[in-house]
Amino acid sequence: MEARERLREAKRVVVKVGTSTLVHASGKPDFRRMDRLVREIADLKNEGREMVLVSSGAIAIGMDRMGLREKPAEMPARQALAAIGQFSLMTLYKKFFSDYGQTAAQVLLTKENAARHHQYANSRNALLELLSMGAVPIINENDVVAVDEIKIGDNDTLSATVATLIDADALLILSDIDGLYTANPQTDKTARLIPVVREITPEIERMAGGASSSFGTGGMATKIEAAKIAVNTGVTFVIAPSEREDVIAAVLAGDSVGTVFPAKESHLNVRKGWLAFGKRIAGDIIVDEGCAEAMRLKGSSLLAAGIVSFEGDFSAGATVRVLSENHQELARGIVNYGAAELLKIAGRQSRDFTNLLDGKIHEEVIHRDNMVLMV
């Protein structure tokens, strides 16, 4: 079944909206667009779908409430504005959802909720219970207490994590551009929209504004990272224009809107989802083509002999990415060796380990049971 057709059958849907969708250029709330968004979500819920909203905007609305035009540089001030704005934002959502006969629920998450397995499982259970009660969870980062989150401001990744948590069928990120383009459409008139991305290759990442890109489209890189998380956990991912009328309904009707990233066929279990996308990435391991091929075709464990190099000062038990030599992400997993030990054994056969290492010896750098393939 094609990805667009699969979207028609999506029952559990996560929608992410950014600050620019919710506020005017003046910084004031955009009531028209908020009403349109909520009305559409409520109507889709009336169709029988389960809807989850990941919403930015707390700091911007907090700034408006306090009469500020410039975002303060001091972290405590930003956290205070997030607290003020989150209350006001939820008050607005409560009114709009109530107008359309729906019950909304506020959920604030941080990376800490995902990094610890018991919190990951508890967050999942709470969200699933809210959906079973018929509520619409409205999710945001807990910017008031999560200092690192407020620096990153990445609700794209948060929305993908939420989609993974609840085994969503689809994740729609509403953006101020139509989707992924071959170049930056704001500066290149030859840029064309890519309707379907079947595999996230290094070339696709460069188009999105990676480090080596000459035509990055601002904010698209985080959306590609979110797409990686979504598709590898069985979630169809779509970037669609927030300005379009009834855009969510159009996407879920299978219309050719935005850019769709088809989901991989099988869902990960809860532990694998947490392993790949809950824990923080501590470093990268680059492997040769033979090792990359064995992982792609056989799902093989990672052995030291195939390691070309690595980046990061990680410890044993950390989660790292495994990359090919052209920097395509192959897998994520928990390493049996820290960076200091890996420096001694990279490129070596496991039979040599006893002469190189002290303490417990592991044949695999990452065992296949502690690894999630990304290709």
Side-chain angles (χ1 to χ4, degrees), residues 26-317:
S26 65
K28 298 286 184 181
D30 190 331
F31 297 135
R32 179 184 61 84
R33 293 181 74 176
M34 287 189 73
D35 179 73
R36 188 178 71 188
L37 170 71
V38 171
R39 183 178 70 246
E40 190 172 11
I41 289 174
D43 194 49
L44 290 164
K45 190 170 177 299
N46 287 342
E47 285 183 4
R49 302 183 198 258
E50 296 175 337
M51 304 297 295
V52 177
L53 176 62
V54 176
S55 175
S56 302
I59 293 178
I61 290 181
M63 288 171 57
D64 175 61
R65 290 292 184 268
M66 301 309 296
L68 300 178
R69 292 291 296 167
E70 297 290 333
K71 186 183 294 185
E74 300 80 11
M75 187 61 64
R78 294 190 184 195
Q79 291 174 306
L81 290 172
I84 294 166
Q86 186 64 30
F87 181 85
S88 298
L89 181 63
M90 285 306 300
T91 299
L92 290 171
Y93 275 131
K94 178 182 177 182
K95 177 195 181 302
F96 285 123
F97 274 105
S98 295
D99 286 347
Y100 294 105
Q102 303 293 340
T103 300
Q106 175 180 257
V107 180
L108 298 176
L109 297 175
T110 68
K111 278 188 176 179
E112 192 68 14
N113 299 127
R116 298 180 184 275
H117 186 260
H118 71 280
Q119 290 191 33
Y120 185 94
N122 290 341
S123 300
R124 168 187 168 87
N125 292 338
L127 287 169
L128 293 178
E129 187 64 25
L130 283 170
L131 292 174
S132 72
M133 290 179 175
V136 178
I138 302 175
I139 301 171
N140 196 359
E141 294 172 335
N142 194 346
D143 289 340
V144 179
V145 298
V147 175
D148 61 337
E149 287 294 309
I150 204 168
K151 289 180 181 177
I152 298 170
D154 182 3
N155 269 3
D156 293 331
T157 301
L158 176 64
S159 66
T161 302
V162 169
T164 298
L165 270 173
I166 63 172
D167 298 326
D169 300 305
L171 167 58
L172 281 61
I173 289 189
L174 304 186
S175 175
D176 53 5
I177 64 171
D178 294 348
L180 178 65
Y181 280 80
T182 55
N184 188 340
Q186 298 173 349
T187 59
D188 189 340
K189 292 183 179 180
T190 67
R192 57 181 179 82
L193 180 68
I194 303 173
V196 181
V197 175
R198 302 194 181 279
E199 183 180 2
I200 301 173
T201 62
E203 181 184 7
I204 291 294
E205 292 185 282
R206 286 193 293 272
M207 286 180 184
S212 58
S213 172
S214 60
F215 46 82
T217 56
M220 190 58 68
T222 62
K223 292 172 177 55
I224 297 302
E225 287 302 310
K228 284 185 187 179
I229 296 173
V231 300
N232 282 286
T233 50
V235 182
T236 301
F237 181 88
V238 183
I239 302 170
S242 59
E243 279 286 354
R244 174 168 170 162
E245 191 81 22
D246 296 327
V247 63
I248 305 172
V251 168
L252 295 179
D255 294 354
S256 184
V257 179
T259 301
V260 62
F261 298 71
K264 300 289 179 66
E265 289 300 320
S266 59
H267 285 262
L268 299 177
N269 59 38
V270 174
R271 180 186 174 278
K272 286 269 186 172
W274 167 74
L275 169 65
F277 309 115
K279 297 193 72 180
R280 293 179 178 88
I281 301 299
D284 295 331
I285 295 177
I286 295 88
V287 299
D288 61 32
E289 185 53 38
C291 181
E293 193 71 7
M295 293 176 68
R296 288 191 193 102
L297 299 181
K298 302 175 183 178
S300 301
S301 297
L302 174 60
L303 303 180
I307 296 175
V308 175
S309 63
F310 64 90
E311 299 173 0
D313 184 18
F314 48 84
S315 303

